[in-house]
Amino acid sequence: MLFSIIIGLQVGYNFLDFNYKPIPTQEEQNWLSLQSTIDTLKKEKHTTVFNIYPFNPNFITDFKGYKLGMKVEEINRLLAYRKQGKFANSPEEFQKVTGISDSLLNAIAPFFKFPEWVNNPKKIGFSIKNPNWKEFPKKEALKVLDINQANKVDLMKISGIGDALSDRILIQREIYSGFVSMDQMNDIWGLTPEVIASLNKYFKISALVKVKKININNASIKELGQFPYFKYPISKNIVTYRSMNGDIKIEDLANIKAFPVDKIKIIALYLEF
């Protein structure tokens, strides 16, 4: 009986398939149905075609040279030549510099585009006797002006100041009822350090204007808050300090909580004590 069982198992092992074959899902069946198409596309030979447009061969990059069919050493020769500040001004000179083959030169030379002065050197430039020659007007020399007397046109003469920035400066001047220091230019948003340096070069405070001063010992929190340098927390701290210590003197400003100490000299000119 044992021998019969062994023989039966051996026959079953040889003739029965014990491999597990999972049933594919619907998504897997859809992908399998496309497999033949995918295999066909893989076998196809794809060739990438690059469109060539007119270009100056002196400014070929590594990638551009690769697309044109140039070798690495040929591109490197051109880059080294350009580092010397030299230019190839003809297809022949380009070939001499790079060492490209005649076949490649014939293929890409029709797309070379050199500057106009290379192709027509006689057309570039002006003769002294040329009747069409027009002398450019000399740039008007800027005079030093009082910033409080400057208008929009005066401000726009400064390089970097356009329509918007000039308006912003004039609006700030109106809010302050006049500038008391050129340092206030640092508080105007949008003015770069270079522009501020130019403003300080061509504008100044000739004389202190009659600004509307705030009596710091009588003004309410609301009145103090209308001053551009005082926001609500500072205005509240001023009134609190005043109620606890009496009248405020100029030397007391530094003791007020959150007071902009770095601007005391400017702020003090707008206050009455």
Side-chain angles (χ1 to χ4, degrees):
M1 185 181 292
L2 180 59
F3 183 74
S4 300
I5 292 173
I6 293 172
I7 294 298
L9 291 174
Q10 188 66 33
V11 171
Y13 178 77
N14 292 328
F15 293 97
L16 296 178
D17 187 6
F18 291 97
N19 294 328
Y20 172 71
K21 295 182 179 180
I23 301 174
T25 63
Q26 184 62 42
E27 183 178 2
E28 290 174 337
Q29 291 178 359
N30 293 337
W31 278 108
L32 290 172
S33 64
L34 297 173
Q35 188 61 44
S36 60
T37 305
I38 295 172
D39 293 338
T40 303
L41 293 174
K42 285 183 177 179
K43 293 179 181 179
E44 292 182 359
K45 184 178 180 180
H46 293 279
T47 55
T48 304
V49 178
F50 296 102
N51 293 325
I52 304 179
Y53 301 96
F55 64 95
N56 188 331
N58 290 289
F59 300 102
I60 291 177
T61 61
D62 290 340
F63 181 65
K64 178 75 173 180
Y66 165 77
K67 289 198 301 181
L68 293 173
M70 295 178 64
K71 299 177 181 178
V72 175
E73 54 270 21
E74 295 170 347
I75 299 173
N76 290 339
R77 291 190 197 105
L78 176 63
L79 296 179
Y81 188 74
R82 285 288 296 110
K83 283 184 179 180
Q84 300 175 24
K86 299 178 181 179
F87 293 87
N89 296 321
S90 67
E92 294 75 16
E93 189 175 358
F94 179 81
Q95 183 183 31
K96 183 178 179 181
V97 172
T98 60
I100 62 174
S101 62
D102 293 339
S103 58
L104 180 58
L105 180 67
N106 293 333
I108 64 177
F111 300 97
F112 286 179
K113 184 178 181 181
F114 296 102
E116 184 65 22
W117 62 268
V118 174
N119 299 323
N120 299 295
K122 294 183 179 180
K123 291 185 178 181
I124 307 301
F126 296 94
S127 171
I128 298 177
K129 299 181 180 179
N130 191 339
N132 297 323
W133 172 267
K134 292 183 179 179
E135 185 177 353
F136 291 99
K138 294 182 179 179
K139 190 175 181 180
E140 181 183 355
L142 295 177
K143 299 179 181 179
V144 178
L145 300 175
D146 190 326
I147 190 68
N148 289 311
Q149 302 298 325
N151 55 34
K152 186 180 181 72
V153 176
D154 295 329
L155 293 171
M156 290 181 66
K157 290 179 181 179
I158 300 297
S159 177
I161 296 182
D163 185 68
L165 283 178
S166 59
D167 284 341
R168 195 174 299 161
I169 294 172
L170 295 176
I171 291 172
Q172 286 295 102
R173 188 177 69 185
E174 185 177 351
I175 291 174
Y176 292 128
S177 68
F179 295 119
V180 296
S181 170
M182 288 301 296
D183 290 339
Q184 290 175 281
M185 299 299 107
N186 296 304
D187 300 328
I188 300 176
W189 180 81
L191 295 182
T192 63
E194 293 77 15
V195 172
I196 292 175
S198 296
L199 284 170
N200 280 284
K201 182 178 180 181
Y202 295 108
F203 293 95
K204 64 179 181 179
I205 306 293
S206 299
L208 290 179
V209 293
K210 293 183 178 181
V211 297
K212 183 180 179 181
K213 295 191 175 185
I214 301 173
N215 192 316
I216 195 170
N217 291 309
N218 294 325
S220 63
I221 293 178
K222 182 178 180 181
E223 291 171 336
L224 290 170
Q226 293 175 352
F227 183 50
Y229 287 106
F230 294 159
K231 295 182 180 180
Y232 175 77
I234 299 177
S235 302
K236 183 180 178 182
N237 293 338
I238 291 173
V239 174
T240 301
Y241 185 91
R242 191 175 66 196
S243 62
M244 295 177 63
N245 300 279
D247 288 350
I248 297 175
K249 300 180 180 61
I250 188 171
E251 56 267 20
D252 297 325
L253 296 178
N255 299 323
I256 299 173
K257 184 179 178 181
F259 195 91
V261 180
D262 57 325
K263 294 182 174 62
I264 283 182
K265 291 183 179 180
I266 295 175
I267 295 174
L269 296 174
Y270 290 96
L271 302 178
E272 286 182 351
F273 298 92

